[in-house]
């Protein structure tokens, strides 16, 4: 879930003019099946925040009914909206942010041809897809991306179209914030004697290495 936290943080830094975080609409384009981690992760965090979230996937690579029901229930409870459709152009029509993901993962290379046939070209995040989105819409990607597959270099390399590299940087800040929130309060501060003990042990270890 840390990628989802990072993405929402990044979106909050790039809100469209006049919009608050609770006003934004997010579209996921790609694989939302059990294999597609980002679609599910984004779904749960947007639901908990009461945001608007639309998934567009080919039918054979779409989110399962149980997962849809879980996210829909949480979304309704928090005042958001959630839907899963097949048409990517409809999904991005009013999107403030588009989230894609890779079309195949490690261990699924044998499905590459079938997946390419299902996703290309309509589910590729390219200039044609962005023409159907609002002009202020920004693209994210959890990285690493497969250029020319789920996203084109034209989109990835244009800072007016994407916030991908701000997003990548924010993974560091997000992880640090989570560590500060959950780990820091539990840390034990070393005493002077403990520091000396560890220093001596380290120096002895380094002396031993010199003889290797």
């Amino acid at each position: 879930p840390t990628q989802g936290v990072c993405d929402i943080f990044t979106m909050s830094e790039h809100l469209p003019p006049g919009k608050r975080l609770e006003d934004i609409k997010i579209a996921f384009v790609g694989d939302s099946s059990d294999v597609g981690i980002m679609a599910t992760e984004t779904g749960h965090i947007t639901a908990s925040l009461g945001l608007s979230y639309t998934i567009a996937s080919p039918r054979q690579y779409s989110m399962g009914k149980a997962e849809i029901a879980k996210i829909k229930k949480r979304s309704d409870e928090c005042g958001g909206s959630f839907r899963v459709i097949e048409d990517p152009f409809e999904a991005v029509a009013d999107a403030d942010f588009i989230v894609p993901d890779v079309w195949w993962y490690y261990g699924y290379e044998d499905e590459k041809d079938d997946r390419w046939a299902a996703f290309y070209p309509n589910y590729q995040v390219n200039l044609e897809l962005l023409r159907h989105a609002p002009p202020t819409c920004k693209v994210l990607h959890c990285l690493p991306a497969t250029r020319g597959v789920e996203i084109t270099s034209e989109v990835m390399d244009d800072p007016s179209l994407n916030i991908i590299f701000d997003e990548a940087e924010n993974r560091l800040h997000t992880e640090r914030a989570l560590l500060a929130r959950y780990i820091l309060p539990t840390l034990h501060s070393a005493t002077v004697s403990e520091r000396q003990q560890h220093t001596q042990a380290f120096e002895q270890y380094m002396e031993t290495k010199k003889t290797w």
Side-chain angles (χ1 to χ4, degrees):
T2 55
Q3 183 67 53
V5 175
C6 165
D7 288 359
I8 294 296
F9 171 42
T10 308
M11 292 176 195
S12 72
E13 293 183 317
H14 296 272
L15 294 173
K19 284 198 173 185
R20 303 165 301 171
L21 180 63
E22 54 265 40
D23 299 326
I24 64 172
K25 297 182 178 181
I26 302 167
F28 176 89
V29 177
D31 180 5
S32 64
S33 67
D34 292 342
V35 177
I37 300 170
M38 276 310 304
T40 304
E41 188 169 320
T42 304
H44 285 290
I45 193 166
T46 54
S48 294
L49 292 172
L51 304 181
S52 173
Y53 181 48
T54 299
I55 288 175
S57 300
R59 183 170 301 178
Q60 63 269 46
Y61 297 108
S62 190
M63 184 175 284
K65 292 181 179 179
E67 199 66 54
I68 290 175
K70 190 188 304 182
I71 296 174
K72 183 71 166 60
K73 180 176 183 295
R74 180 63 173 166
S75 183
D76 290 344
E77 291 171 349
C78 297
S81 65
F82 173 61
R83 59 182 182 149
V84 179
I85 61 177
E86 290 187 57
D87 187 349
F89 301 101
E90 179 184 347
V92 305
D94 58 357
D96 298 300
F97 299 97
I98 298 173
V99 180
D101 198 6
V102 295
W103 290 349
W104 50 81
Y105 299 80
Y106 298 117
Y108 291 85
E109 290 84 358
D110 58 329
E111 299 180 9
K112 181 177 178 179
D113 291 342
D114 290 339
R115 286 175 169 271
W116 178 269
F119 289 110
Y120 185 81
N122 288 345
Y123 294 88
Q124 184 182 72
V125 179
N126 51 32
L127 294 181
E128 177 59 27
L129 182 68
L130 292 182
R131 289 189 185 98
H132 291 77
T136 57
C137 182
K138 302 294 183 185
V139 176
L140 293 89
H141 197 299
C142 62
L143 298 181
T146 316
R147 289 174 179 260
V149 181
E150 76 275 4
I151 188 169
T152 63
S153 292
E154 289 176 309
V155 175
M156 282 199 71
D157 295 333
D158 188 339
S160 71
L161 300 177
N162 78 81
I163 50 176
I164 292 171
F165 299 106
D166 281 351
E167 176 189 12
E169 177 191 345
N170 281 342
R171 277 303 297 270
L172 170 64
H173 305 314
T174 303
E175 304 291 354
R176 291 174 67 187
L178 290 170
L179 289 172
R181 173 64 177 84
Y182 293 107
I183 304 300
L184 183 60
T186 69
L187 292 181
H188 164 70
S189 297
T191 64
V192 173
S193 61
E194 286 173 332
R195 290 175 184 271
Q196 291 174 342
Q197 180 182 352
H198 284 287
T199 300
Q200 291 171 358
F202 176 73
E203 290 174 348
Q204 291 173 359
Y205 171 73
M206 294 305 294
E207 285 295 325
T208 301
K209 286 202 67 174
K210 291 179 182 178
T211 64
W212 291 3

